[in-house]
Amino acid sequence: MANTSEFGESLPSLQNYAITASALKLASLGLIICVGLAGNGALSLLVLKDTTLHKAPYYFLLDLCLADVLRSAVCLPFVMASVQRGSSWAGSVLCCKLVAFLSVLFCFHVAFLLFCVSVTRYMAIAHHRFYSKRMTLCTSLAMICAVWTLSLAMAFPPVFDVGTYKFIREEEQCIFEHRYIKANDTLGFMLMLAVIVSTTHVVYMKMLCFVYDHRKMKPAQLVPAISQNWTFHGPGATGQAAANWIAGFGRGPIPPTLVGIRQASHNGAARRLLVFDEFKMEKRIGKMYYMITLSFLVLWAPYLIACYARIFVKGAALPQVYLTAAVWMTFVQAGANPIISLLFNKELRVRLRACFPWCLQTHTPMEPYCVI
């Protein structure tokens, strides 16, 4: 009788725990969907509206934001529906396969796109002249189309049961069914994802080494020039004349050291060289994309570990709390990118203030620049 009473008392506590867990899941999913739709939508509108952001890095960011908007609007509501139904799928098998296909498609799309962006960031730092000439709108669109094609190639085979798309009750979503390696063939897909993310970080490490090596270069030694009626002679005459010409004091033709360097003027202000500012801007954009890549790795790593455990360890039983947290971290990635982009890119914040002045009361004007 004592055991019966204890069991009867534990039943309501389990029910209360399940209700609380479901409420937390629904609240967190609702927040992720709202942030994903609002943040990515606002960032997409900013890139489309502001012509100063019509450059290759922001074309890639626009594509990334649109993919996250689609994921937040199409895939995550089905997860909310399954949570509301007590971790069960009420739709058809075909609908489940379609949702799983889209989820895997968006995952591989982010991975492939971040890899392409890492290559372009390295080119922008190490080979800026080649990058500025070749990285046009058409080139960006071609790379985006290639990324979507590769993502389709990775996500489409399981539709024909090469691997399996089905509803996983423990994860409360339609996704790959990761079983033991001898009973499943999804190992290739998981290895491809791991290789892409690892290679992306290798490219960023190479870019970091390039920047560090060039920091150690010995700076040029400036020799003072002798001035006489604004004409210069002596060892430093060429450099001094160029400096005065840039500052607006020089007259006559462009000094030989500045031939081929394009200038930018704004409302009759003094002419300046912005090569160093361009380099700082490229570094800033590279930092932003690296943080997006790092967040993708951090948010997906626990789920990837769980997948590999089920593939390589026969009968692996993972704690439900860990698996749920790992799955929900992958959902967070849909709303994290716009926050990271605004935190680590000053140019985006400045343009956000300029295009949407109602967001912030003050804004800083942005000087135009020209790329050689």
Side-chain angles (χ1 to χ4, degrees):
M1 293 295 293
N3 292 334
T4 306
S5 62
E6 289 178 1
F7 179 75
E9 290 176 358
S10 64
L11 209 59
S13 62
L14 289 175
Q15 291 177 348
N16 293 334
Y17 174 78
I19 293 172
T20 304
S22 298
L24 289 175
K25 290 177 183 178
L26 291 174
S28 59
L29 267 178
L31 180 63
I32 291 170
I33 291 174
C34 292
V35 172
L37 292 175
N40 290 290
L43 204 56
S44 301
L45 288 176
L46 176 64
V47 175
L48 290 172
K49 181 180 178 181
D50 198 327
T51 55
T52 61
L53 299 179
H54 291 179
K55 296 175 286 188
Y58 298 109
Y59 295 144
F60 296 131
L61 184 62
L62 175 63
D63 181 59
L64 191 63
C65 290
L66 292 178
D68 286 338
V69 166
L70 291 175
R71 186 185 177 204
S72 301
V74 176
C75 299
L76 298 188
F78 285 99
V79 180
M80 290 189 70
S82 67
V83 173
Q84 289 177 335
R85 293 186 178 91
S87 302
S88 62
W89 179 261
S92 62
V93 176
L94 180 61
C95 181
C96 182
K97 282 191 174 185
L98 179 61
V99 173
F101 165 76
L102 291 175
S103 299
V104 175
L105 174 67
F106 294 138
C107 173
F108 276 101
H109 167 264
V110 174
F112 281 119
L113 184 67
L114 291 178
F115 170 71
C116 291
V117 169
S118 68
V119 175
T120 61
R121 289 296 86 212
Y122 176 77
M123 296 296 294
I125 296 296
H127 308 282
H128 182 70
R129 187 177 294 274
F130 175 83
Y131 170 85
S132 60
K133 288 182 178 180
R134 301 298 181 185
M135 207 62 200
T136 60
L137 173 61
C138 294
T139 308
S140 303
L141 291 177
M143 293 181 66
I144 291 172
C145 291
V147 165
W148 280 108
T149 303
L150 291 172
S151 305
L152 283 170
M154 293 301 301
F156 205 76
V159 175
F160 298 103
D161 292 329
V162 180
T164 305
Y165 284 154
K166 65 177 293 185
F167 180 75
I168 309 299
R169 183 181 178 85
E170 294 80 8
E171 300 181 15
E172 297 176 311
Q173 65 172 339
C174 290
I175 200 69
F176 275 131
E177 184 185 14
H178 297 293
R179 300 192 302 271
Y180 186 58
I181 186 171
K182 294 182 178 180
N184 198 20
D185 51 1
T186 61
L187 177 60
F189 300 98
M190 302 306 298
L191 287 177
M192 176 60 73
L193 186 60
V195 167
I196 295 168
V197 176
S198 302
T199 308
T200 304
H201 280 81
V202 169
V203 175
Y204 277 113
M205 291 303 105
K206 186 176 180 181
M207 183 180 75
L208 185 63
C209 292
F210 176 85
V211 174
Y212 178 74
D213 290 340
H214 281 67
R215 278 181 179 177
K216 296 188 297 183
M217 293 175 64
K218 186 178 179 180
Q221 299 294 326
L222 298 179
V223 180
I226 301 173
S227 172
Q228 189 176 20
N229 297 327
W230 290 105
T231 61
F232 295 87
H233 55 88
T238 303
Q240 187 64 53
N244 287 332
W245 194 88
I246 293 168
F249 298 110
R251 299 190 180 278
I254 300 176
T257 53
L258 298 182
V259 174
I261 298 180
R262 192 174 299 174
Q263 303 286 325
S265 60
H266 181 59
N267 295 331
R271 291 165 295 190
R272 299 175 58 209
L273 286 176
L274 299 179
V275 176
F276 183 66
D277 289 343
E278 286 179 11
F279 179 73
K280 289 171 59 179
M281 183 193 68
E282 298 293 355
K283 280 182 59 179
R284 190 160 54 240
I285 295 174
K287 183 179 180 181
M288 176 192 74
Y289 273 114
Y290 178 71
M291 294 308 299
I292 292 176
T293 305
L294 186 62
S295 70
F296 179 81
L297 175 62
V298 171
L299 293 173
W300 278 86
Y303 182 71
L304 292 178
I305 292 172
C307 293
Y308 281 115
R310 284 179 286 183
I311 289 175
F312 289 108
V313 181
K314 189 173 184 179
L318 297 171
Q320 183 59 44
V321 175
Y322 172 83
L323 191 57
T324 301
V327 172
W328 253 247
M329 286 177 68
T330 64
F331 298 155
V332 171
Q333 190 263 326
N337 292 337
I339 299 174
I340 295 173
S341 301
L342 291 173
L343 283 177
F344 291 94
N345 193 328
K346 180 181 178 181
E347 186 181 15
L348 280 177
R349 295 197 300 271
V350 171
R351 302 318 304 168
L352 184 66
R353 296 188 190 104
C355 292
F356 303 104
W358 47 269
C359 294
L360 296 171
Q361 293 181 356
T362 60
H363 67 275
T364 305
M366 186 175 180
E367 296 182 3
Y369 65 91
C370 300
V371 180
I372 301 172

